Amino acid sequence: MKLSVLSVAAAIASAVAVKVNPLPAPRHISWGSSGPVPVEGLALRAQYHGRNAAILDSAWDRAWKAITTLQWVPAATEAPIQANHFAPFPGEPTITPIPYKRAIAARLRSVDVFVADGNADLQHGVDESYTLEVGEGSSTVQINAETVWGALHAFTTLQQIIISDGHGGLMVEQPVRITDKPLYPYRGIMLDSGRNFISLPKILEQIDGMALSKLNVLHWHLDDSQSWPMHMSVYPQMTKDAYSASETYSHGDMQQVIAYARARGVRVIPEVDMPGHSESGWKQVDPNIVACANSWWSNDDWTYHTAVEPNPGQLDIIYNGTYDVVRNVYHELSGIFPDNWFHVGADELQTGCYNFSKYVTEWFKEDPSRTYNDLAQYWVDKAVPIFHEAAPPSRRLMMWEDIALGAVSANDVPKNIVLQSWNNGIANIDNLTARGYDVVVSSSDWLYLDCGHGGAVTNDPRYDVMSNPSGGVTFNYGGNGGSWCAPYKTWQRIYDYDFTTNLTATQAKHILGGEAPLWSEQVDDVTVSSGFWPRASALGELLWSGNRDPKTGKKRTTEMTQRILNFREYLVANGVMATALVPKYCLQHPHACDLYYNQDVVV
Ligand SMILES: *[C@@H]1O[C@H](CO)[C@@H](O)[C@H](O)[C@H]1NC(C)=O
Ligand SMILES: *[C@@H]1O[C@H](CO)[C@@H](O)[C@H](O)[C@H]1NC(C)=O
Ligand SMILES: *[C@@H]1O[C@H](CO)[C@@H](O)[C@H](O)[C@H]1NC(C)=O
Ligand SMILES: *[C@@H]1O[C@H](CO)[C@@H](O)[C@H](O)[C@H]1NC(C)=O
C-alpha cells in the first residue's frame, strides 16, 4: 500500500507517526525523539562466517527489496491512547509536531551485522535473540545476533520500521534501540494437506507470513484418511490415493518447502498421523494393515461409529505387517525432513473401527482382561522403538495429547515425547505438565483456525429447520456456528489466551510454545491464506513477547489492535493474502471502532 504524499506528509507532521511499532512487538524497544533520518541504499556490512552465511545474504536482499519496492507507510500508527482525536475526551493533550529534519547531516548508509555463531543449525531451542540499534545521528544500523536465525528476525523488524518519507525516499525514526528474543522456542502453525491438497506456491506463501510474524515452526500434517499426496520411493502405489497425479508432492517438492522455510528461519516438522486417521495410501500397500476402511462411518448411529469424520480407517495395531510398512514410510520421510522432530499423530483412536479387524478381535479374545488402553499401549511399545531406530539419535517425537489423555490412551507414554494439547484448554495443559510432559499448546477453543464455518458433512437434516439451529442442544457442540469447535476464533480470542493460568513455575517450564492448526476439510488453495492470516500473527506475538505490557503487566490487546490492522495490510503488500479484520475506517482511525471507550476493560 502506497499512501499519497499528502497523507504521508500528514503522518510525518506528528512525531509519533513515524515510530512504527513492528509486529510482533519486540521485548524491549526504546525510541528517542530527535526525529527521523533519511535512509539511503543500505549496504550490508557483515561480520559473520560459517555455513549459514549465504542464508543471511539472501535474507538481507529480500528485506531490502521489500523496503525499496513497497515504500511502506502504515495507515496509522499507535498514538498514545489519551491523545486520540475523537470528541469524548475533553481537554485532550495536543501532540507537538516534530518536522522531518531534512537538513540534518545524518543519513543511514549501511547495516552492520555481527553474528557470533554462523554455524548454529536451525533446530528446536536455537538462540533467536538479536539487538538492533540506530544511534542518534549514526549512519549505520547495528545488528548483533548470536546466530543467523536471530539476525533474520532483526531484518523482519527493520523492514517494518523503515518507511517512505513521502518524497520518494525512505526514512527511519531514530534513535531506536531494540533488544529482542522470544518467550517460547516453539511458535507454529499447522497446515493440513491431507483433507484438501495445498499447492507448493501456497505453502511458500504461508512461510512468508510466518517469517514476517517470527513464527518458526511449520507443522505439516502431510496426509490423512482422505488422501496421500507424498511420493514414496519405497511404495510408489501410495499416491494412487492422492486426489490426482498433479495433487502430489515429489521429494523435490518437499525439499523445496524445507529449503524455502529454512532460508526464512522456519523449521518444518512433518506429521504422518498414525495409527488413527489412516486409510489412503496405506491400503494400497497392503489392505490388511488398515482396519475398517470399507465401513460406514456411522455418526448417525453412534454405537457403531468407526470414525469421527469420513472416511474411516486406522492402522491395524496387532497385524504384524503394519510395522514393516510404518518403518519404511517413516524411514524414507526421515531422510527428506532434516528436523530433529517428527510428529507421529496418535489422535482420536476409535474403538469401533477395530471390530473390523480379525487380528484385533482375536487378540482381545485371547485374554479377556485386555482393554483398548492396552491396545493403545501395544502401539506405543511397538511403534516408538521403530521411530527411534529408523531416525537420527537426536530424533524427538511429537504426538497429539490423546495418546496420554484421550478416551482411548496408553497407560505409559514415554516422558520424552512432546504432547500437543488440543482439548479442554488449561485443564489438559495442567494435567500433562503436572505429569512431566513437554507440551505444545494448541487448545482448540482458542487456537483452532478452522472453527466456525459450519459443518462439512453432508445430508445433514439439522440444517433443515425453520428456526435458528444454534438453539439445538448438541448441534453446535457448545458454540454458535455449527462446526464442532465453533465459533470462529478471532485474533483477539487468540491473543488473549493466558495458557499458563494457575500452573506452577515447574509446570510452566514444560510449555515449549504454541501452534495454531488450520484443519483443511473446508480449506484449499483458495482460502488457506485467509484462514491463517492475520490471526496466526496474533499467536506470533503472544508467543514471542506475550500479550501484556512488560512495564504495567496489563493486557495490551487494545494497543495491539493498530499493530495487527497495519500488519494485515503489510502481509497483503508482501503477497500473503490475509483477510480483512475491520472496515478500513477503523484501520485509519485508531480506537474509533473499540467496543469500550474505557481502554482498560481488557484485563
Ligand atoms: C464393536 O463391538 C462392540 C462390542 O461388541 C459393540 O458394542 C460396538 O457397537 C461395535 N462397533 C461397531 C462399529 O461395530
Ligand atoms: C508377529 O511377529 C512376532 C515375532 O516375529 C511373532 O511372535 C508373532 O506371533 C507375530 N504375530 C502375529 C499376529 O502374526
Ligand atoms: C490427568 O487426567 C487423567 C485422566 O482424566 C487422570 O486420571 C489423572 O489423574 C490426571 N492427572 C493429573 C496429574 O492431573
Ligand atoms: C485458577 O484458579 C482459581 C482459584 O482456584 C480459579 O477460580 C480459576 O477458575 C482457575 N482458572 C482456571 C482457568 O482454571
Side-chain angles (χ1 to χ4, degrees), residues 228-437:
W228 183 279
M230 312 86 87
H231 280 285
M232 303 299 307
S233 306
V234 63
Y235 303 121
Q237 67 271 42
M238 290 183 91
T239 45
K240 283 187 191 163
D241 288 338
Y243 284 123
S244 70
S246 60
E247 288 164 293
T248 55
Y249 305 112
S250 66
H251 287 198
D253 292 338
M254 291 183 268
Q255 280 154 349
Q256 193 186 329
V257 169
I258 295 159
Y260 190 92
R262 181 180 168 82
R264 287 155 184 80
V266 174
R267 300 161 56 205
V268 183
I269 298 182
E271 178 188 356
V272 176
D273 201 348
M274 300 172 277
H277 292 275
S278 301
E279 194 257 9
S280 292
W282 301 105
K283 73 173 191 297
Q284 297 289 347
V285 180
D286 175 359
N288 287 322
I289 69 173
V290 178
C292 82
N294 296 318
S295 65
W296 168 238
W297 72 296
S298 193
N299 275 41
D300 53 345
D301 193 351
W302 181 253
T303 317
Y304 299 105
H305 81 283
T306 55
V308 287
E309 75 178 74
N311 50 323
Q314 299 181 168
L315 293 182
D316 198 306
I317 291 175
I318 300 300
Y319 174 60
N320 267 6
T322 301
Y323 297 94
D324 294 326
V325 182
V326 163
R327 176 186 290 103
N328 290 337
V329 166
Y330 176 83
H331 189 255
E332 183 168 329
L333 289 169
S334 288
I336 297 170
F337 289 88
D339 203 86
N340 284 344
W341 290 27
F342 200 113
H343 200 308
V344 288
D347 57 329
E348 296 191 309
L349 267 190
Q350 304 304 308
T351 57
C353 178
Y354 289 119
N355 290 20
F356 292 80
S357 160
K358 64 174 190 268
Y359 307 100
V360 174
T361 48
E362 275 301 312
W363 184 78
F364 277 125
K365 266 189 214 135
E366 272 167 31
D367 179 352
S369 76
R370 285 174 175 157
T371 65
Y372 281 102
N373 285 3
D374 297 329
L375 185 66
Q377 189 68 49
Y378 188 105
W379 168 262
V380 168
D381 292 345
K382 196 125 178 178
V384 167
I386 291 174
F387 297 143
H388 284 298
E389 119 212 338
S394 54
R395 172 56 45 84
R396 190 137 191 223
L397 296 174
M398 197 167 167
M399 294 186 183
W400 296 100
E401 67 182 351
D402 311 41
I403 196 67
L405 205 49
V408 179
S409 53
N411 301 317
D412 182 17
V413 176
K415 287 281 156 45
N416 59 2
I417 294 180
V418 178
L419 295 177
Q420 187 168 6
S421 181
W422 62 285
N423 284 296
N424 299 329
I426 290 155
N428 279 15
I429 298 168
D430 179 26
N431 182 298
L432 295 169
T433 54
R435 288 157 64 188
Y437 288 105

